[in-house]
Amino acid sequence: MRVLVTGAAGYIGSVVAELLLDAGHQVVALDDLRHGHAAAVDPRACFVRCDLLDAAGLAFVFRAHPVDAVAHLAAEALIAESVRDPGRFYRANAIGGLNLLDAMVASGVRRLVFSSTAAVYGEPEAVPIPEDAPKRPVNAYGASKLAFERALPWYRRAHDLCYVTLRYFNACGATSAHGEDHRPETHLIPALLTAAAGEGGPFALYGTDYDTPDGTCIRDYVHVADIARAHLLALERVERLGGRAYNLGNGAGYSNREVVAAVGRVVGRPIPVVAAARRPGDPARLVADAARARAELGWAPTRPALADMVADAWVWRRRHAGGYGG
């Protein structure tokens, strides 16, 4: 299969491309490099630089590089920033996504796996969260992703689009080739590893007054390679399962304080931490019910232990002290 991977220079997109290529597929790697890294693009892929807001450029990409399917991971994804600048997120995630769908339809490409997010749920009524839980996002990131999700059934009805939506929870870990390198880094585990390496001062623990056992947010962590494997499984089954959404998570939540302690155990020393105010748009608890993915995709996490995920990220961090630019 020849697959266009959007966001292929980003954290998860680079691993999706890596696993597709390892499985014998061909990959057209698309990214605008606004947030991604050219060095993260798998050298076996055909790289194309293009912004999803460039509709004419997208149309040219599909003409020049015919594909059988699309794995759509490109997005603006900083939650706090989405609260401050919602228009940027709607433009990138909703309008850019519609440009992609229109280019697919014009080129006769009917298979799509969409990388969505647990942020579409907002503050859940109960945890773990099933796929049919109410969608009440509390930030523009989740709302813009949900806007694109809601367009998909209409494209299915009008254009016979086959799609699968993957709502994953907190990605972490690394492969030997690809890891997490955001500028700025806002994700918990890589930020903790930076603090563990003695760079950038103590770690800021955002929010210690949530209604949780230790006052900090609870999140469900899933290894980036397991997320990537779900994309491969969905691409193989998209025509049979078209229109379905799947949560990707371990079904176990860890508080931010528990993650701080786990990172300290992996690196062999305590992490310097300072308490800070809550970030806007952060729900207290997000834990997945991933039973549907197990039953219909045949997917289950292969690296469910938090310590193993942290250890993989720490190995990559030590090998790439300066990230992809180091």
Side-chain angles (χ1 to χ4, degrees):
M1 188 185 306
R2 186 171 171 87
V3 183
L4 175 71
V5 178
T6 73
Y11 173 42
I12 302 172
S14 64
V15 181
V16 170
E18 177 187 349
L19 266 62
L20 280 167
L21 289 159
D22 287 348
H25 300 291
Q26 295 176 285
V27 170
V28 177
L30 185 145
D31 204 290
D32 63 10
L33 299 183
R34 183 180 296 120
H35 303 300
H37 305 276
V41 177
D42 196 297
R44 298 170 292 174
C46 171
F47 175 62
V48 179
R49 186 170 184 173
C50 184
D51 190 327
L52 294 184
L53 292 175
D54 179 3
L58 270 177
F60 175 80
V61 168
F62 276 88
R63 289 195 303 269
H65 304 280
V67 296
D68 304 304
V70 174
H72 176 34
L73 295 99
E76 290 280 358
L78 293 176
I79 288 176
E81 186 65 24
S82 81
V83 177
R84 292 189 291 268
D85 187 6
R88 174 178 137 200
F89 285 72
Y90 272 90
R91 282 188 293 274
N93 299 345
I95 297 174
L98 293 178
N99 287 343
L100 176 66
L101 292 179
D102 289 341
M104 290 176 61
V105 169
S107 302
V109 180
R110 295 292 188 270
R111 288 180 283 182
L112 171 73
V113 174
F114 173 49
S115 175
S116 191
T117 171
V120 301
Y121 297 114
E123 290 283 0
E125 294 178 348
V127 292
I129 307 167
E131 287 86 355
D132 59 0
K135 315 300 184 295
R136 294 190 290 250
V138 295
N139 51 65
Y141 166 60
S144 62
K145 286 281 201 173
L146 182 59
F148 182 76
E149 278 198 32
R150 286 176 168 163
L152 292 175
W154 294 104
Y155 274 76
R156 179 178 176 85
R157 178 176 177 175
H159 305 295
D160 198 28
L161 178 75
C162 290
Y163 66 89
V164 165
T165 297
L166 300 177
R167 298 179 188 139
Y168 44 82
F169 286 59
N170 281 42
C172 61
T175 67
S176 60
H178 297 105
E180 198 162 4
D181 181 16
H182 299 112
R183 313 291 174 86
E185 185 56 76
T186 61
H187 290 178
L188 183 64
I189 289 174
L192 283 167
L193 295 177
T194 297
E199 301 172 10
F203 172 77
L205 187 59
Y206 292 106
T208 57
D209 59 346
Y210 286 94
D211 183 19
T212 60
D214 66 15
T216 63
C217 291
I218 293 174
R219 294 291 184 266
D220 187 336
Y221 291 86
V222 57
H223 199 288
V224 64
D226 283 328
I227 290 175
R229 189 167 50 82
H231 284 75
L232 272 66
L233 291 169
L235 283 166
E236 293 169 358
R237 295 162 171 79
V238 66
E239 290 176 315
R240 177 165 56 88
L241 300 175
R244 298 287 275 170
Y246 298 94
N247 288 338
L248 302 181
N250 283 305
Y254 296 92
S255 75
N256 286 352
R257 290 192 190 279
E258 289 174 320
V259 177
V260 170
V263 171
R265 288 191 293 271
V266 168
V267 304
R269 53 185 174 276
I271 310 300
V273 171
V274 293
R278 295 184 185 189
R279 294 184 303 187
D282 266 348
R285 290 179 177 85
L286 289 174
V287 179
D289 178 349
R292 181 187 291 180
R294 293 174 186 268
E296 297 182 10
L297 282 182
W299 178 88
T302 62
R303 299 169 175 86
L306 179 62
D308 292 342
M309 292 185 268
V310 171
D312 286 349
W314 181 231
V315 168
W316 192 88
R317 174 69 174 69
R318 285 186 295 172
R319 290 176 179 168
H320 303 82
Y324 284 106

